[in-house]
Amino acid sequence: MPTVAQIEQALFQLAPKDLAFDWDNVGHLEGSPDQEVQRVLVALDVTENVVSEAEKLGCQLIVSHHPLMNVRWHQAEMQTLRPDRYLGRLLRRLVKADISVISMHTNLDIAPGGVNDALAEALRIEDPGPMPGDETGLCRVGRLRNPVKLSDFAGEVCKVLHANGVRYAGDRPVEYIAVGGGACGDGVREAFDAGCDTFVTADVKYNQFWDARDLGMNLIDAGHFWTENPVCATLAEKLQGQFPQILVKVSEHHTDCIKFC
């Protein structure tokens, strides 16, 4: 059976470590590199529900998109390992259950075939490629086969991604689209300068909707979880193909924590 270290190297072939932003924390973050793996659970986030699912399935490894721990997000929590604090409780559970964690984050956002290519494919965008002028390398641009009304396209985005809802602004027909899974709202200007009529992303701020309106470009916020979630199936497919002797499963218990009424 492959080890955690061997699976990490396979994932770095898909999404090289040097693509990650300098503040990011990617790769094998918890557990023994020599641990043999028979079952893998793939999830966007490592949550208590995901850990419970991994325990129930007998998984030795969780592969996530968002890092299990990162000083940019968890600076205060990473000073302790206490069971009465969320991260401490989560880490203690993983250690006790002997479950390792590998996280592929901004390197997977940027990598060919990663988060944003998976999003473009889910939205049936043809010939997606890097967005001109995007120095981060995150976003992709491409075309629809036929132009559609913005309201119709926004509805299709919601349906295809299984989102709880989408927010959108604009009134142009949709044809040339930029996508940036997760928090890429700062790329509004770059998407416009690239000639896009529509930008699909998440975590959009109020003023960014106005910025897009002033530029005359459509802006769609389909949610952080839902715009990144398509890559989980991609990760599972890649791992299963490379390691046919193990079981790789996409989590049924990772989901958006944001509710709508």
Side-chain angles (χ1 to χ4, degrees):
M1 290 296 174
T3 64
V4 171
Q6 289 171 329
I7 293 175
E8 179 192 40
Q9 289 308 306
L11 288 167
F12 278 146
Q13 289 177 10
L14 172 65
K17 187 174 184 178
D18 60 8
L19 291 180
F21 291 177
D22 57 7
W23 54 262
D24 207 358
N25 190 25
V26 301
H28 180 202
L29 304 185
E30 189 277 326
S32 170
D34 298 324
Q35 183 179 32
E36 290 192 348
V37 176
Q38 296 177 315
R39 294 172 180 263
V40 179
L41 189 64
V42 178
L44 205 69
D45 301 280
V46 183
T47 65
E48 293 202 77
N49 284 341
V50 168
V51 174
S52 295
E53 184 179 6
E55 290 173 333
K56 183 177 180 179
L57 293 171
C59 296
Q60 296 79 35
L61 173 64
I62 296 171
V63 174
S64 71
H65 176 48
H66 294 133
L68 170 65
M69 45 192 171
N70 187 307
V71 292
R72 180 166 176 171
W73 304 336
H74 308 118
Q75 184 173 4
E77 289 186 84
M78 288 179 66
Q79 304 302 312
T80 66
L81 193 61
R82 291 171 44 169
D84 60 337
R85 296 183 178 175
Y86 181 79
L87 183 59
R89 183 166 65 250
L90 195 64
L91 289 169
R92 286 166 62 93
R93 281 191 65 186
L94 289 163
V95 170
K96 288 180 179 180
D98 202 20
I99 298 173
S100 296
V101 175
I102 297 173
S103 301
M104 296 280 130
H105 190 215
T106 51
N107 54 325
L108 188 62
D109 288 326
I110 295 169
V115 168
N116 289 306
D117 284 315
L119 176 58
E121 181 179 0
L123 299 181
R124 302 183 183 90
I125 294 172
E126 298 188 345
D127 301 321
M131 184 167 75
D134 175 18
E135 295 181 359
T136 66
L138 290 172
C139 298
R140 301 290 188 265
V141 296
R143 296 186 180 276
L144 295 181
R145 185 178 297 272
N146 298 298
V148 297
K149 289 173 55 179
L150 174 60
S151 58
D152 292 341
F153 181 68
E156 185 66 13
V157 169
C158 187
K159 178 181 176 182
V160 167
L161 299 182
H162 308 287
N164 294 328
V166 303
R167 300 184 298 154
Y168 67 96
D171 54 16
R172 294 180 61 182
V174 180
E175 182 177 12
Y176 191 49
I177 304 166
V179 298
C184 291
D186 289 340
V188 167
R189 182 76 213 194
E190 287 81 0
F192 176 78
D193 289 343
C196 297
D197 51 66
T198 304
F199 185 24
V200 180
T201 184
D203 298 351
V204 176
K205 298 177 182 178
Y206 178 72
N207 65 289
Q208 291 168 334
F209 277 111
W210 280 107
D211 291 343
R213 176 188 171 93
D214 290 343
L215 291 169
M217 186 179 70
N218 305 324
L219 183 58
I220 298 176
D221 183 333
H224 197 117
F225 178 91
W226 304 106
T227 54
E228 293 185 334
N229 187 48
V231 82
C232 290
T234 300
L235 278 175
E237 181 182 356
K238 296 287 187 183
L239 284 174
Q240 192 67 80
Q242 189 147 357
F243 300 101
Q245 70 272 43
I246 68 175
L247 175 67
V248 183
K249 187 178 187 298
V250 175
S251 173
E252 297 178 2
H253 291 88
H254 74 142
T255 189
D256 194 353
C257 64
I258 301 170
K259 308 297 182 184
F260 292 83
C261 62

